[in-house]
Amino acid sequence: MHVQVKQLKEKSQAELAISVPARDFEAYIERAAKELTKDKPLKGFRPGKAPLNIVMEVFGQERVLHEAVERALPHFFVQAAVDEEVEAINKPSVTITTLGLEKPFEFTAKVDVLPEVQVADVKKLAVEERNVAVKDEEVEQELTRIAKMRAKPLEVVRGAQAGDVVTVDFDVQMNGATIPGGSSKNHPVELGEGHFVPDFEKGLTGVRAGEERTFEMGFPADYAKKDVAGQKAQVHVKAHSVQQLVLPALDDAFAKSLGKFENIADLKGKLRENIQHEKDHKESDRRRSELMEKLAEASTFGFIPEILIEREIDSRLQELAQMLTLQQKTIEDYLKKQSKTVKQLRADLRKSAERAVKVGIAMRAFAKEQNIEVTDEEIEAQTQEYLARFKNTKVATKEINPDKLREDITLVLRNQKALDKLEELAGFEPHRH
Protein backbone atom coordinates (compact mmCIF):
# COMPACT_ATOMS: atom_id res chain seq x y z
CA MET A 1 0.00 0.00 0.00
CA HIS A 2 1.30 3.43 -0.92
CA VAL A 3 0.25 6.51 1.05
CA GLN A 4 0.87 10.19 0.49
CA VAL A 5 -0.12 12.63 3.23
CA LYS A 6 -0.82 16.29 2.69
CA GLN A 7 -1.24 18.39 5.82
CA LEU A 8 -3.84 21.15 5.59
CA LYS A 9 -2.70 22.95 8.75
CA GLU A 10 -4.88 26.01 8.30
CA LYS A 11 -7.94 23.74 8.66
CA SER A 12 -6.37 21.13 10.97
CA GLN A 13 -6.99 18.48 8.35
CA ALA A 14 -4.96 15.80 6.62
CA GLU A 15 -5.53 14.50 3.12
CA LEU A 16 -4.36 10.95 2.50
CA ALA A 17 -3.90 9.66 -1.05
CA ILE A 18 -4.02 5.86 -0.66
CA SER A 19 -3.22 3.29 -3.32
CA VAL A 20 -3.97 -0.37 -2.54
CA PRO A 21 -2.38 -2.94 -4.90
CA ALA A 22 -4.87 -4.97 -6.95
CA ARG A 23 -3.79 -8.25 -5.29
CA ASP A 24 -4.62 -6.85 -1.83
CA PHE A 25 -7.99 -5.52 -2.97
CA GLU A 26 -8.90 -8.81 -4.69
CA ALA A 27 -9.30 -10.49 -1.30
CA TYR A 28 -12.09 -8.00 -0.45
CA ILE A 29 -13.78 -8.57 -3.82
CA GLU A 30 -13.84 -12.33 -3.17
CA ARG A 31 -15.09 -11.79 0.38
CA ALA A 32 -17.88 -9.52 -0.92
CA ALA A 33 -18.94 -12.17 -3.45
CA LYS A 34 -19.12 -14.80 -0.69
CA GLU A 35 -21.18 -12.54 1.59
CA LEU A 36 -23.62 -11.71 -1.21
CA THR A 37 -24.33 -15.41 -1.88
CA LYS A 38 -24.56 -16.47 1.76
CA ASP A 39 -28.06 -15.06 2.25
CA LYS A 40 -29.08 -15.57 -1.39
CA PRO A 41 -27.29 -18.74 -2.57
CA LEU A 42 -27.13 -19.20 -6.32
CA LYS A 43 -28.84 -22.22 -7.85
CA GLY A 44 -26.47 -25.18 -8.05
CA PHE A 45 -23.98 -23.75 -5.50
CA ARG A 46 -23.71 -23.96 -1.75
CA PRO A 47 -24.06 -20.65 0.16
CA GLY A 48 -20.95 -18.53 -0.37
CA LYS A 49 -19.33 -21.00 -2.75
CA ALA A 50 -20.32 -19.65 -6.19
CA PRO A 51 -17.38 -18.65 -8.47
CA LEU A 52 -16.62 -14.94 -8.69
CA ASN A 53 -17.45 -14.68 -12.40
CA ILE A 54 -20.91 -16.20 -11.81
CA VAL A 55 -21.58 -13.84 -8.88
CA MET A 56 -20.57 -10.93 -11.12
CA GLU A 57 -23.07 -12.00 -13.78
CA VAL A 58 -25.93 -12.37 -11.29
CA PHE A 59 -25.38 -9.38 -9.03
CA GLY A 60 -23.45 -7.15 -11.39
CA GLN A 61 -19.85 -5.93 -11.17
CA GLU A 62 -20.87 -2.57 -9.68
CA ARG A 63 -22.72 -4.22 -6.76
CA VAL A 64 -19.83 -6.57 -5.97
CA LEU A 65 -17.27 -3.75 -6.11
CA HIS A 66 -19.48 -1.57 -3.91
CA GLU A 67 -19.67 -4.32 -1.27
CA ALA A 68 -15.89 -4.80 -1.49
CA VAL A 69 -15.28 -1.06 -0.95
CA GLU A 70 -17.58 -1.05 2.11
CA ARG A 71 -15.30 -3.64 3.73
CA ALA A 72 -11.91 -2.51 2.41
CA LEU A 73 -12.11 1.24 2.90
CA PRO A 74 -12.22 1.36 6.75
CA HIS A 75 -9.41 -1.20 7.01
CA PHE A 76 -6.99 0.52 4.62
CA PHE A 77 -7.77 4.02 5.91
CA VAL A 78 -7.11 3.04 9.54
CA GLN A 79 -3.93 1.20 8.54
CA ALA A 80 -2.70 4.24 6.58
CA ALA A 81 -3.56 6.65 9.44
CA VAL A 82 -1.70 4.50 11.97
CA ASP A 83 1.33 3.99 9.72
CA GLU A 84 1.57 7.71 8.95
CA GLU A 85 0.73 8.79 12.54
CA VAL A 86 -2.30 10.79 11.44
CA GLU A 87 -4.41 11.56 14.54
CA ALA A 88 -7.85 11.44 12.93
CA ILE A 89 -10.73 12.64 15.10
CA ASN A 90 -13.69 11.72 12.90
CA LYS A 91 -14.69 9.69 9.87
CA PRO A 92 -12.97 10.74 6.66
CA SER A 93 -14.55 12.31 3.61
CA VAL A 94 -13.63 9.87 0.84
CA THR A 95 -13.27 10.24 -2.91
CA ILE A 96 -12.58 7.05 -4.90
CA THR A 97 -10.24 7.70 -7.81
CA THR A 98 -9.59 4.19 -9.19
CA LEU A 99 -11.84 1.14 -8.82
CA GLY A 100 -12.20 -2.01 -10.88
CA LEU A 101 -11.27 -5.64 -11.34
CA GLU A 102 -7.52 -6.30 -11.52
CA LYS A 103 -6.89 -2.62 -10.78
CA PRO A 104 -5.40 -0.93 -7.73
CA PHE A 105 -7.98 0.47 -5.34
CA GLU A 106 -7.15 4.17 -5.02
CA PHE A 107 -8.89 6.83 -2.99
CA THR A 108 -8.28 10.10 -1.16
CA ALA A 109 -9.47 10.57 2.40
CA LYS A 110 -9.75 14.00 3.96
CA VAL A 111 -10.09 13.95 7.74
CA ASP A 112 -10.04 16.38 10.68
CA VAL A 113 -7.00 16.02 12.93
CA LEU A 114 -5.88 17.45 16.22
CA PRO A 115 -4.53 20.97 15.73
CA GLU A 116 -0.88 21.82 16.06
CA VAL A 117 -0.03 23.17 19.51
CA GLN A 118 2.86 25.23 20.71
CA VAL A 119 2.88 24.21 24.36
CA ALA A 120 3.65 26.98 26.83
CA ASP A 121 6.66 26.85 29.15
CA VAL A 122 5.24 25.25 32.28
CA LYS A 123 7.93 26.81 34.47
CA LYS A 124 6.54 30.25 33.63
CA LEU A 125 3.00 29.45 34.74
CA ALA A 126 2.09 31.42 37.87
CA VAL A 127 -0.14 29.40 40.18
CA GLU A 128 -0.83 30.31 43.80
CA GLU A 129 0.43 27.92 46.47
CA ARG A 130 -1.99 27.88 49.38
CA ASN A 131 -1.34 26.94 52.97
CA VAL A 132 -3.41 23.86 53.80
CA ALA A 133 -2.07 23.17 57.29
CA VAL A 134 -4.71 21.76 59.65
CA LYS A 135 -5.80 24.10 62.44
CA ASP A 136 -6.56 22.88 65.95
CA GLU A 137 -10.15 24.12 65.68
CA GLU A 138 -10.69 21.95 62.59
CA VAL A 139 -9.71 18.87 64.59
CA GLU A 140 -12.04 19.94 67.41
CA GLN A 141 -14.90 20.50 64.94
CA GLU A 142 -14.44 17.02 63.48
CA LEU A 143 -14.28 15.52 66.97
CA THR A 144 -17.52 17.30 67.88
CA ARG A 145 -19.15 16.10 64.64
CA ILE A 146 -18.30 12.49 65.55
CA ALA A 147 -19.52 13.01 69.10
CA LYS A 148 -22.84 14.41 67.82
CA MET A 149 -23.35 11.23 65.82
CA ARG A 150 -23.27 9.39 69.15
CA ALA A 151 -25.25 11.97 71.09
CA LYS A 152 -28.25 10.80 73.09
CA PRO A 153 -31.51 12.77 72.68
CA LEU A 154 -33.12 14.02 75.89
CA GLU A 155 -36.73 15.25 75.91
CA VAL A 156 -36.97 18.73 77.44
CA VAL A 157 -39.98 20.86 78.44
CA ARG A 158 -38.27 24.21 77.90
CA GLY A 159 -38.36 26.24 74.71
CA ALA A 160 -36.16 25.09 71.83
CA GLN A 161 -32.70 26.62 71.47
CA ALA A 162 -29.64 26.24 69.24
CA GLY A 163 -28.41 22.64 69.20
CA ASP A 164 -31.83 21.15 69.96
CA VAL A 165 -33.77 18.89 67.60
CA VAL A 166 -37.38 19.97 67.15
CA THR A 167 -39.77 17.49 65.52
CA VAL A 168 -42.56 19.37 63.73
CA ASP A 169 -45.36 19.25 61.19
CA PHE A 170 -45.00 22.26 58.91
CA ASP A 171 -46.88 23.88 56.07
CA VAL A 172 -45.39 26.71 53.98
CA GLN A 173 -47.83 28.78 51.93
CA MET A 174 -47.69 31.61 49.42
CA ASN A 175 -50.84 33.39 48.26
CA GLY A 176 -52.91 30.97 50.32
CA ALA A 177 -51.53 27.80 48.67
CA THR A 178 -48.91 25.34 49.90
CA ILE A 179 -45.76 25.63 47.79
CA PRO A 180 -44.33 22.48 46.12
CA GLY A 181 -42.41 20.49 48.75
CA GLY A 182 -43.59 22.94 51.39
CA SER A 183 -45.24 20.54 53.83
CA SER A 184 -44.07 17.63 55.94
CA LYS A 185 -45.07 15.58 58.98
CA ASN A 186 -42.87 14.63 61.96
CA HIS A 187 -39.91 16.40 60.41
CA PRO A 188 -36.78 16.71 62.61
CA VAL A 189 -35.07 20.13 62.52
CA GLU A 190 -31.73 20.67 64.26
CA LEU A 191 -31.57 24.34 65.15
CA GLY A 192 -28.36 26.17 64.34
CA GLU A 193 -27.12 23.72 61.70
CA GLY A 194 -28.26 25.89 58.78
CA HIS A 195 -29.98 23.08 56.89
CA PHE A 196 -33.16 25.16 56.66
CA VAL A 197 -33.99 28.74 55.65
CA PRO A 198 -32.70 31.03 58.46
CA ASP A 199 -36.15 32.55 59.09
CA PHE A 200 -37.61 29.05 59.46
CA GLU A 201 -35.14 28.11 62.21
CA LYS A 202 -35.61 31.53 63.81
CA GLY A 203 -39.38 30.94 63.86
CA LEU A 204 -38.88 27.65 65.73
CA THR A 205 -36.61 29.14 68.39
CA GLY A 206 -38.36 29.02 71.77
CA VAL A 207 -41.13 26.66 70.64
CA ARG A 208 -42.26 24.01 73.13
CA ALA A 209 -43.59 20.49 72.61
CA GLY A 210 -47.31 20.62 71.70
CA GLU A 211 -47.18 24.29 70.69
CA GLU A 212 -48.48 25.58 67.33
CA ARG A 213 -47.13 28.68 65.63
CA THR A 214 -47.68 30.75 62.51
CA PHE A 215 -44.97 33.14 61.34
CA GLU A 216 -43.67 34.89 58.23
CA MET A 217 -40.58 33.56 56.51
CA GLY A 218 -38.45 35.22 53.83
CA PHE A 219 -36.61 33.13 51.25
CA PRO A 220 -33.03 34.36 50.60
CA ALA A 221 -32.46 36.11 47.25
CA ASP A 222 -29.98 33.39 46.25
CA TYR A 223 -32.28 30.52 47.23
CA ALA A 224 -31.86 27.46 44.97
CA LYS A 225 -35.53 27.39 43.93
CA LYS A 226 -35.71 30.50 41.77
CA ASP A 227 -39.54 30.59 41.76
CA VAL A 228 -39.60 31.47 45.49
CA ALA A 229 -36.21 33.18 45.93
CA GLY A 230 -36.50 36.61 47.57
CA GLN A 231 -40.20 36.16 48.38
CA LYS A 232 -42.19 35.98 51.61
CA ALA A 233 -44.20 32.99 52.81
CA GLN A 234 -46.50 32.11 55.71
CA VAL A 235 -45.44 29.13 57.84
CA HIS A 236 -47.61 27.11 60.19
CA VAL A 237 -45.88 24.61 62.48
CA LYS A 238 -46.93 22.19 65.20
CA ALA A 239 -44.11 20.99 67.48
CA HIS A 240 -44.32 17.40 68.65
CA SER A 241 -41.11 17.27 70.70
CA VAL A 242 -38.04 19.25 71.68
CA GLN A 243 -34.91 17.21 72.33
CA GLN A 244 -31.57 18.30 73.70
CA LEU A 245 -28.64 16.37 72.25
CA VAL A 246 -26.43 15.19 75.09
CA LEU A 247 -22.90 14.66 73.78
CA PRO A 248 -20.59 12.06 75.32
CA ALA A 249 -17.55 13.30 77.24
CA LEU A 250 -14.60 13.74 74.88
CA ASP A 251 -12.17 11.67 76.92
CA ASP A 252 -9.97 8.57 76.61
CA ALA A 253 -12.97 6.26 77.09
CA PHE A 254 -14.76 7.92 74.18
CA ALA A 255 -11.67 7.51 71.96
CA LYS A 256 -11.36 3.81 72.83
CA SER A 257 -15.06 3.26 72.07
CA LEU A 258 -14.44 4.34 68.46
CA GLY A 259 -11.78 1.75 67.70
CA LYS A 260 -8.10 1.02 68.25
CA PHE A 261 -7.15 4.35 69.81
CA GLU A 262 -5.04 4.48 72.97
CA ASN A 263 -6.48 7.76 74.19
CA ILE A 264 -8.10 11.02 73.07
CA ALA A 265 -4.75 12.40 71.93
CA ASP A 266 -4.25 9.39 69.67
CA LEU A 267 -7.73 9.94 68.18
CA LYS A 268 -7.04 13.62 67.58
CA GLY A 269 -3.77 12.73 65.90
CA LYS A 270 -5.54 10.38 63.50
CA LEU A 271 -8.24 12.96 62.78
CA ARG A 272 -5.56 15.55 62.02
CA GLU A 273 -3.86 13.11 59.68
CA ASN A 274 -7.13 12.35 57.85
CA ILE A 275 -8.06 16.02 57.54
CA GLN A 276 -4.58 16.83 56.25
CA HIS A 277 -4.80 14.08 53.64
CA GLU A 278 -8.18 15.36 52.44
CA LYS A 279 -6.97 18.97 52.31
CA ASP A 280 -3.81 17.97 50.43
CA HIS A 281 -5.92 16.06 47.92
CA LYS A 282 -8.31 18.98 47.39
CA GLU A 283 -5.44 21.44 47.07
CA SER A 284 -3.71 19.21 44.54
CA ASP A 285 -6.93 18.97 42.51
CA ARG A 286 -7.35 22.76 42.61
CA ARG A 287 -3.71 23.35 41.70
CA ARG A 288 -3.79 20.83 38.85
CA SER A 289 -6.99 22.30 37.47
CA GLU A 290 -5.51 25.80 37.57
CA LEU A 291 -2.25 24.62 36.01
CA MET A 292 -4.11 22.95 33.14
CA GLU A 293 -6.23 26.06 32.56
CA LYS A 294 -3.17 28.31 32.54
CA LEU A 295 -1.26 25.91 30.29
CA ALA A 296 -4.10 26.09 27.77
CA GLU A 297 -4.36 29.88 28.07
CA ALA A 298 -0.62 30.34 27.45
CA SER A 299 -0.34 27.78 24.63
CA THR A 300 -0.84 28.58 20.95
CA PHE A 301 -3.32 26.48 18.96
CA GLY A 302 -3.95 25.91 15.31
CA PHE A 303 -7.50 25.74 13.95
CA ILE A 304 -9.70 23.72 16.33
CA PRO A 305 -12.17 21.50 14.39
CA GLU A 306 -15.79 22.24 15.20
CA ILE A 307 -16.51 18.56 15.84
CA LEU A 308 -14.37 18.60 19.01
CA ILE A 309 -16.39 21.45 20.50
CA GLU A 310 -19.70 19.86 19.49
CA ARG A 311 -18.67 16.55 21.07
CA GLU A 312 -17.80 18.30 24.33
CA ILE A 313 -21.17 20.08 24.36
CA ASP A 314 -22.89 16.73 23.66
CA SER A 315 -21.00 15.19 26.58
CA ARG A 316 -22.08 17.98 28.93
CA LEU A 317 -25.70 17.67 27.84
CA GLN A 318 -25.53 13.93 28.47
CA GLU A 319 -24.15 14.52 31.97
CA LEU A 320 -26.94 17.03 32.63
CA ALA A 321 -29.55 14.54 31.40
CA GLN A 322 -28.15 11.83 33.70
CA MET A 323 -28.19 14.19 36.68
CA LEU A 324 -31.78 15.20 35.92
CA THR A 325 -32.79 11.53 35.61
CA LEU A 326 -31.63 10.96 39.19
CA GLN A 327 -33.98 13.81 40.16
CA GLN A 328 -36.76 12.17 38.10
CA LYS A 329 -36.68 15.06 35.64
CA THR A 330 -35.91 15.46 31.94
CA ILE A 331 -34.02 17.90 29.74
CA GLU A 332 -37.42 19.14 28.55
CA ASP A 333 -38.39 19.94 32.18
CA TYR A 334 -35.10 21.79 32.66
CA LEU A 335 -35.45 23.80 29.43
CA LYS A 336 -39.03 24.75 30.29
CA LYS A 337 -37.99 25.99 33.74
CA GLN A 338 -35.08 27.97 32.27
CA SER A 339 -37.24 29.28 29.39
CA LYS A 340 -34.63 28.14 26.87
CA THR A 341 -34.38 26.05 23.73
CA VAL A 342 -31.83 23.28 23.15
CA LYS A 343 -30.05 25.64 20.74
CA GLN A 344 -29.79 28.34 23.43
CA LEU A 345 -28.55 25.82 26.01
CA ARG A 346 -25.86 24.60 23.58
CA ALA A 347 -24.84 28.23 23.02
CA ASP A 348 -24.57 28.74 26.80
CA LEU A 349 -22.29 25.70 27.09
CA ARG A 350 -20.10 26.61 24.13
CA LYS A 351 -17.56 28.88 25.85
CA SER A 352 -16.76 26.43 28.65
CA ALA A 353 -16.71 23.57 26.11
CA GLU A 354 -14.13 25.42 23.99
CA ARG A 355 -12.00 25.96 27.09
CA ALA A 356 -12.22 22.28 28.05
CA VAL A 357 -11.27 21.19 24.52
CA LYS A 358 -8.20 23.45 24.59
CA VAL A 359 -7.18 22.04 27.98
CA GLY A 360 -7.50 18.49 26.64
CA ILE A 361 -5.49 19.24 23.49
CA ALA A 362 -2.79 21.10 25.44
CA MET A 363 -2.42 18.26 27.95
CA ARG A 364 -2.21 15.68 25.17
CA ALA A 365 0.51 17.71 23.44
CA PHE A 366 2.31 18.20 26.77
CA ALA A 367 2.29 14.44 27.48
CA LYS A 368 3.66 13.77 24.00
CA GLU A 369 6.33 16.44 24.42
CA GLN A 370 7.39 14.91 27.75
CA ASN A 371 7.48 11.38 26.27
CA ILE A 372 5.04 10.15 28.89
CA GLU A 373 4.36 6.44 28.45
CA VAL A 374 2.34 3.82 30.28
CA THR A 375 3.81 0.33 30.62
CA ASP A 376 1.95 -2.94 30.10
CA GLU A 377 2.76 -3.84 33.72
CA GLU A 378 1.06 -0.66 34.99
CA ILE A 379 -2.00 -1.29 32.84
CA GLU A 380 -2.24 -4.91 33.99
CA ALA A 381 -1.92 -3.94 37.65
CA GLN A 382 -4.69 -1.33 37.35
CA THR A 383 -6.87 -3.76 35.40
CA GLN A 384 -6.59 -6.40 38.10
CA GLU A 385 -7.27 -3.80 40.79
CA TYR A 386 -10.41 -2.73 38.94
CA LEU A 387 -11.66 -6.29 38.42
CA ALA A 388 -11.03 -7.09 42.09
CA ARG A 389 -13.92 -4.74 42.98
CA PHE A 390 -16.34 -7.29 41.56
CA LYS A 391 -17.43 -10.25 43.66
CA ASN A 392 -17.00 -12.60 40.74
CA THR A 393 -14.02 -11.81 38.51
CA LYS A 394 -15.03 -14.34 35.85
CA VAL A 395 -18.45 -12.72 35.46
CA ALA A 396 -16.86 -9.26 35.38
CA THR A 397 -14.48 -10.20 32.57
CA LYS A 398 -17.44 -11.47 30.53
CA GLU A 399 -19.51 -8.33 31.04
CA ILE A 400 -16.68 -5.83 30.51
CA ASN A 401 -15.13 -5.12 27.13
CA PRO A 402 -11.42 -5.84 27.84
CA ASP A 403 -10.18 -3.62 25.00
CA LYS A 404 -12.31 -0.70 26.16
CA LEU A 405 -11.22 -1.22 29.78
CA ARG A 406 -7.56 -1.29 28.75
CA GLU A 407 -8.02 1.85 26.66
CA ASP A 408 -9.73 3.70 29.53
CA ILE A 409 -7.10 2.64 32.06
CA THR A 410 -4.29 3.64 29.70
CA LEU A 411 -5.86 7.08 29.28
CA VAL A 412 -6.32 7.56 33.04
CA LEU A 413 -2.74 6.50 33.83
CA ARG A 414 -1.29 8.69 31.10
CA ASN A 415 -3.28 11.71 32.30
CA GLN A 416 -2.22 11.04 35.88
CA LYS A 417 1.44 10.89 34.88
CA ALA A 418 1.08 14.02 32.77
CA LEU A 419 -0.46 15.89 35.70
CA ASP A 420 2.32 14.70 38.02
CA LYS A 421 4.89 15.99 35.54
CA LEU A 422 3.00 19.26 35.12
CA GLU A 423 3.06 19.86 38.88
CA GLU A 424 6.71 18.90 39.09
CA LEU A 425 7.83 21.27 36.32
CA ALA A 426 5.72 24.06 37.84
CA GLY A 427 7.67 23.65 41.08
CA PHE A 428 5.14 21.75 43.16
CA GLU A 429 5.42 18.37 44.80
CA PRO A 430 2.96 16.02 43.05
CA HIS A 431 0.22 14.57 45.25
CA ARG A 432 0.80 10.89 45.97
CA HIS A 433 -2.01 8.67 44.69
Side-chain angles (χ1 to χ4, degrees):
M1 182 174 65
H2 179 68
V3 182
Q4 282 187 317
V5 180
K6 181 180 179 182
Q7 297 289 348
L8 308 174
K9 295 181 180 179
E10 69 280 0
K11 295 183 179 180
S12 291
Q13 290 182 325
E15 188 174 85
L16 289 74
I18 302 170
S19 178
V20 180
R23 63 180 179 277
D24 293 337
F25 186 54
E26 281 172 10
Y28 287 87
I29 295 175
E30 292 173 359
R31 193 179 304 169
K34 286 183 179 180
E35 290 296 324
L36 284 170
T37 58
K38 268 187 179 180
D39 295 331
K40 295 181 178 180
L42 302 184
K43 191 173 181 179
F45 299 97
R46 286 181 296 164
K49 298 297 182 180
L52 179 60
N53 62 326
I54 301 297
V55 177
M56 288 284 191
E57 288 179 13
V58 175
F59 288 92
Q61 179 176 310
E62 186 177 340
R63 173 77 183 279
V64 176
L65 288 174
H66 174 77
E67 293 290 333
V69 168
E70 287 289 307
R71 291 165 174 76
L73 210 157
H75 170 78
F76 289 115
F77 170 74
V78 170
Q79 183 181 332
V82 171
D83 291 346
E84 299 297 325
E85 297 184 350
V86 174
E87 295 182 303
I89 58 176
N90 61 352
K91 290 183 178 180
S93 171
V94 175
T95 302
I96 296 173
T97 54
T98 303
L99 178 65
L101 296 175
E102 300 179 352
K103 289 182 179 181
F105 171 42
E106 296 180 336
F107 63 96
T108 60
K110 187 180 289 185
V111 67
D112 291 327
V113 297
L114 289 173
E116 284 196 337
V117 185
Q118 186 178 341
V119 181
D121 184 351
V122 178
K123 295 178 182 178
K124 293 182 180 179
L125 300 180
V127 175
E128 177 189 2
E129 183 171 12
R130 297 178 183 175
N131 180 11
V132 291
V134 180
K135 298 176 182 178
D136 291 343
E137 51 262 39
E138 291 177 295
V139 177
E140 294 300 328
Q141 286 171 2
E142 180 62 12
L143 189 61
T144 300
R145 185 190 69 80
I146 295 171
K148 287 181 73 172
M149 292 171 63
R150 289 159 178 76
K152 294 181 179 180
L154 176 66
E155 297 274 352
V156 292
V157 294
R158 58 168 172 74
Q161 59 190 33
D164 290 344
V165 174
V166 186
T167 301
V168 297
D169 296 342
F170 66 80
D171 184 55
V172 183
Q173 296 188 355
M174 292 179 67
N175 301 318
T178 302
I179 66 174
S183 66
S184 183
K185 300 286 186 182
N186 296 308
H187 201 105
V189 181
E190 186 173 351
L191 301 184
E193 286 298 298
H195 297 315
F196 291 80
V197 172
D199 279 359
F200 185 81
E201 292 193 14
K202 184 178 178 181
L204 290 181
T205 301
V207 74
R208 295 172 182 270
E211 182 183 345
E212 293 190 46
R213 281 187 181 184
T214 299
F215 54 88
E216 187 176 72
M217 176 181 77
F219 287 98
D222 60 351
Y223 192 65
K225 294 183 178 180
K226 301 300 180 186
D227 53 336
V228 297
Q231 298 187 53
K232 300 287 186 181
Q234 292 293 318
V235 183
H236 180 77
V237 298
K238 180 179 180 180
H240 294 295
S241 67
V242 177
Q243 296 177 320
Q244 177 184 345
L245 296 179
V246 181
L247 272 62
L250 303 180
D251 52 19
D252 293 346
F254 173 70
K256 290 176 181 178
S257 71
L258 297 178
K260 297 180 179 179
F261 300 104
E262 294 181 7
N263 48 43
I264 194 68
D266 186 24
L267 173 59
K268 287 183 177 181
K270 186 61 178 177
L271 291 178
R272 182 180 295 275
E273 183 182 318
N274 291 343
I275 296 170
Q276 186 67 63
H277 178 78
E278 184 178 348
K279 293 182 79 169
D280 286 343
H281 186 76
K282 285 183 178 179
E283 171 59 11
S284 179
D285 285 346
R286 180 205 66 81
R287 191 168 60 221
R288 287 179 174 215
S289 179
E290 192 172 337
L291 277 169
M292 288 191 292
E293 291 277 355
K294 287 187 177 292
L295 180 71
E297 288 171 9
S299 297
T300 304
F301 299 84
F303 176 80
I304 297 178
E306 184 67 16
I307 189 172
L308 291 177
I309 299 167
E310 290 298 317
R311 280 180 186 170
E312 180 63 25
I313 293 174
D314 288 342
S315 176
R316 290 173 181 234
L317 285 174
Q318 188 176 6
E319 288 177 4
L320 175 61
Q322 289 173 345
M323 182 186 73
L324 290 170
T325 299
L326 294 175
Q327 300 172 7
Q328 297 185 330
K329 296 178 182 178
T330 65
I331 282 284
E332 288 72 25
D333 297 330
Y334 177 83
L335 290 171
K336 187 176 180 180
K337 189 172 182 180
Q338 297 293 321
S339 300
K340 290 182 179 180
T341 63
V342 172
K343 187 176 180 180
Q344 289 171 326
L345 179 56
R346 292 185 74 89
D348 290 344
L349 294 171
R350 186 174 182 85
K351 191 172 182 179
S352 61
E354 287 178 348
R355 192 163 57 245
V357 167
K358 283 188 174 182
V359 167
I361 294 171
M363 285 302 297
R364 184 186 179 96
F366 171 76
K368 192 173 182 179
E369 188 180 85
Q370 296 296 321
N371 297 315
I372 290 173
E373 298 291 342
V374 179
T375 67
D376 290 339
E377 291 76 14
E378 290 171 324
I379 296 170
E380 180 62 24
Q382 284 293 310
T383 299
Q384 293 305 317
E385 184 178 320
Y386 178 81
L387 294 175
R389 300 173 189 173
F390 295 86
K391 290 182 178 179
N392 190 323
T393 305
K394 288 184 179 180
V395 173
T397 52
K398 286 182 180 179
E399 294 180 352
I400 297 169
N401 183 325
D403 293 333
K404 181 67 168 59
L405 178 60
R406 185 180 180 84
E407 182 183 328
D408 290 344
I409 287 174
T410 301
L411 182 61
V412 169
L413 289 174
R414 185 179 291 120
N415 287 344
Q416 200 173 77
K417 285 188 171 185
L419 284 167
D420 286 346
K421 191 66 176 179
L422 187 65
E423 279 190 297
E424 180 188 327
L425 291 177
F428 298 104
E429 182 179 348
H431 179 71
R432 297 304 165 199
H433 310 288

